[in-house]
């Protein structure tokens, strides 16, 4: 607190949603919801509070050690504000799996908390659409969730050239790290994190980091990472049965997506994704506009996460898509809808004695499902009209003694200035046209 009183700023890295922000948020989440449901995904939910152990050893070190909001509750339990939804949905499915008919298609739009350095596209609280498909162990499952992600982008009015879907396969990367380069676990993890940063680092610095992590094996890895496309990348790899299956999966996925009309897919051998639980394909969607450098979606296949709960593993594939990055993209491209006040009509009183008539009129309109905001401020008519205009209410109706007596009302559309005279009995019908 300063001399001037409490700070009016929200907590660092979180947002207040004023009505216009809330309308954008609703537009974004409604569009996500509609598209997920078009694909037959059912909505679920859970608490923001989770026992901290849910994330240890599953989400990845960076998230757990550096990015969680964790505290001890009054009963000495370690509690975390969820940083992601995947462990929660896996816990829920594990608990109920015998009662759930497969395959399971679920979605949710939770708020998540990560202690990150706030910057464009990254905040400490964001909402994230999660769509996950359980019980399908084939490339068709991977293709379905990527098609869904791409359909969400389309539902926002974006076209194929506006975004690119980058894909990789953990099996290929695991083969390179463990079998081909024969790196032990800790160096393997270290090099994965370095590869993940390739796009963000200057070329020389990246090479230096690779050499210092893996010594003379650097040349093999750098050649692979610098390959221009999938076939060139494959030509630098040895022949191996396990690897072959993973490479074939990649080809089948790209082909299946092409057949479904998704052609903006790019193989990207540097795409690692920070979570330890991924076991197969991983993918991210990026805006092609350089103003928005952050990933819009991230996801992949995680077939072993359920075994952490002591139950049989279950195939799973899904993604998360954040509201912050989506809003940035829609704003940059001018694709956000114009703000509309929920009220269709502002009833303005010229005299206070008109209140009983105005109240009854308002009651009738609402009973007929017309959203009305009645100005009871007692301010001058001109000020009431200005306020209605500023709030984005499309129509106004001024009520004075004449209107009360005659029942003839003059509705004005503020955007055009067009006035319509109508009897009070026909008012609801006017708005329902
Ligand atoms: P993620 O890549 O950490 O994946 O997040 C997915 C998306 O959430 C990102 O691409 C971004 O749009 C948004 N996002 C993440 N962190 C922030 C942040 N600090 N501020 C704003 N937006 C953010 C996951 O969370 C996985 N659990 C997704 C998943 C679901 N995998 C399988 N199923």
């Amino acid at each position: 607190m300063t001399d001037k009183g409490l700070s009016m700023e929200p907590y660092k890295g979180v947002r207040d949603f004023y009505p216009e922000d809330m309308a954008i948020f609703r537009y974004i989440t409604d569009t996500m919801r509609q598209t997920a449901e078009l694909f037959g995904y059912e909505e679920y939910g859970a608490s923001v509070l989770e026992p901290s152990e849910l994330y240890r050893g599953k989400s990845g070190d960076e998230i757990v050690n550096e990015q969680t909001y964790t505290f001890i509750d009054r009963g000495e339990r370690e509690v975390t504000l969820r940083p992601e939804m995947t462990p929660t949905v896996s816990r829920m499915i594990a608990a109920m799996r015998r009662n759930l008919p497969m395959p399971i298609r679920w979605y949710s739009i939770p708020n998540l908390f990560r202690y990150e350095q706030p910057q464009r596209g990254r905040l400490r609280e964001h909402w994230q659409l999660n769509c996950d498909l359980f019980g399908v162990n084939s490339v068709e499952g991977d293709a379905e969730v990527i098609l869904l992600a791409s359909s969400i982008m389309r539902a926002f009015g974006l076209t194929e050239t506006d975004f690119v879907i980058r894909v990789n396969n953990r099996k290929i990367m695991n083969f390179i790290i463990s079998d081909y380069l024969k790196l032990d676990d800790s160096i393997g993890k270290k090099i994965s994190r370095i590869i993940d940063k390739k796009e963000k680092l200057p070329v020389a610095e990246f090479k230096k980091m690779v050499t210092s992590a893996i010594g003379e094996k650097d040349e093999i890895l750098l050649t692979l990472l610098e390959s221009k496309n999938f076939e060139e990348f494959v030509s630098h790899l040895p022949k191996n049965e396990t690897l072959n299956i993973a490479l074939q999966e990649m080809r089948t996925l790209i082909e299946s997506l092409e057949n479904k009309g998704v052609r903006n897919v790019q193989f990207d051998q540097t795409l690692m994704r920070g979570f330890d639980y991924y076991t197969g394909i991983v993918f991210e969607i990026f805006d092609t506009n350089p103003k928005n450098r952050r990933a819009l979606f991230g996801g992949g296949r995680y077939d072993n996460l359920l075994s952490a709960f002591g139950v049989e593993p279950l195939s799973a594939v899904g993604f998360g898509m954040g509201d912050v990055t989506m809003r940035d993209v829609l704003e940059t491209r001018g694709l956000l809808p114009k703000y509309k006040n929920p009220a269709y009509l502002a009833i303005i009183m010229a005299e206070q004695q008109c209140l009983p008539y105005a109240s009854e009129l308002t009651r009738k309109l609402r009973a007929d499902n017309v959203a009305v905001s009645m100005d009871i401020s007692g301010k001058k008519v001109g000020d009431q009209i200005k306020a209605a205009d500023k709030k984005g209410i499309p129509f106004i109706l001024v009520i004075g003694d004449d209107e009360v007596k005659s029942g003839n009302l003059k509705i004005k559309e503020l955007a055009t200035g067009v006035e319509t005279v109508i009897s009070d009995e026909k008012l609801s019908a006017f708005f329902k046209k």
Side-chain angles (χ1 to χ4, degrees), residues 26-74:
R26 279 244 320 243
Y27 167 71
I28 291 176
T29 50
D30 284 353
T31 307
M32 291 170 167
R33 240 187 210 100
Q34 278 159 14
T35 317
E37 291 186 0
L38 263 182
F39 278 67
Y41 283 63
E42 302 169 270
E43 188 167 15
Y44 67 95
S47 166
V48 296
L49 300 176
E50 285 284 9
S52 305
E53 63 175 22
L54 185 64
Y55 305 104
R56 248 178 247 120
K58 291 161 207 105
S59 293
D61 294 345
E62 191 190 0
I63 287 255
V64 177
N65 299 338
E66 295 161 32
Q67 295 188 343
T68 52
Y69 281 88
T70 295
F71 61 95
I72 307 291
D73 74 7
R74 289 169 207 273

Side-chain angles (χ1 to χ4, degrees), residues 146-245:
I146 295 178
L147 174 66
L148 170 53
S150 161
S151 303
I152 293 169
M153 295 295 277
R154 300 290 191 106
F156 282 112
L158 294 150
T159 62
E160 211 174 63
T161 50
D162 292 332
F163 64 98
V164 47
I165 304 166
R166 296 195 189 146
V167 289
N168 194 4
N169 192 329
R170 274 280 168 95
K171 289 181 200 157
I172 301 175
M173 298 320 280
N174 289 347
F175 173 84
I176 293 172
I177 290 169
S178 316
D179 300 295
Y180 190 26
L181 298 176
K182 299 202 178 341
L183 303 174
D184 71 29
D185 223 36
S186 73
I187 298 182
K189 275 195 175 159
K190 193 170 168 194
I191 197 71
S192 298
R193 277 197 295 272
I194 297 173
I195 298 173
D196 201 33
K197 295 202 177 88
K198 182 172 184 286
E199 295 294 299
K200 292 178 199 138
L201 292 171
V203 180
E205 192 179 332
F206 174 73
K207 285 187 175 165
K208 221 166 108 192
M209 283 172 85
V210 171
T211 310
S212 92
I214 63 172
E216 79 266 19
K217 291 173 182 164
D218 59 350
E219 230 169 274
I220 304 176
L221 185 64
L222 289 169
T223 308
L224 282 166
L225 295 180
E226 275 154 20
S227 302
K228 300 274 174 309
N229 56 48
F230 184 63
E231 293 312 331
E232 187 191 327
F233 171 79
V234 173
S235 72
H236 296 302
L237 286 169
K239 299 275 166 284
N240 174 282
E241 192 72 20
T242 326
L243 175 67
N244 235 350
I245 296 171

Side-chain angles (χ1 to χ4, degrees), residues 136-145 169 245 248-254 256-257 260 281 301 317:
V136 178
N137 183 21
S138 72
V139 175
E140 261 320 285
D142 304 337
E144 174 177 306
V145 297
N169 192 329
I245 296 171
Q248 201 42 47
E249 258 179 39
M250 200 65 187
R251 288 192 189 95
T252 314
L253 175 69
I254 293 172
S256 166
L257 284 167
K260 293 175 173 59
I281 71 112
R301 177 167 283 282
V317 56

